[in-house]
Amino acid sequence: MEFGSRLKQVREENKISQEDLAELVQVSRQSVSKWENNECYPTVEKLLMISIKLNVSIDWLFGI
């Protein structure tokens, strides 16, 4: 499973919309959409925020 699929899975498990996640990590909803479609990756700072907010490890998000 790729990063985008894992991000979408954990976001949906936490019942958080793309817009809500975008607000939590201070980016646009379009950025979250691009991450979930593997068009690009978040910065290290945003990865850390995602990890904390969704209670998952960065390793898990990347399938390590």
Side-chain angles (χ1 to χ4, degrees), residues 6-56:
R6 287 179 176 268
L7 177 60
K8 183 176 181 178
Q9 175 188 337
V10 74
R11 178 182 61 75
E12 289 177 344
E13 286 173 0
N14 283 278
K15 297 180 175 45
I16 297 173
S17 68
Q18 284 185 342
E19 190 168 322
D20 292 338
L21 180 59
E23 286 181 27
L24 286 171
V25 297
Q26 302 168 347
V27 296
S28 67
R29 188 208 51 81
Q30 290 83 358
S31 291
V32 174
S33 177
K34 286 180 181 182
W35 299 340
E36 290 184 357
N37 289 309
N38 294 303
E39 293 175 20
C40 62
Y41 294 100
T43 64
V44 173
E45 176 186 337
K46 300 303 180 190
L47 277 171
L48 183 57
M49 291 174 74
I50 291 166
S51 173
I52 291 167
K53 301 290 185 184
L54 298 180
N55 197 33
V56 295

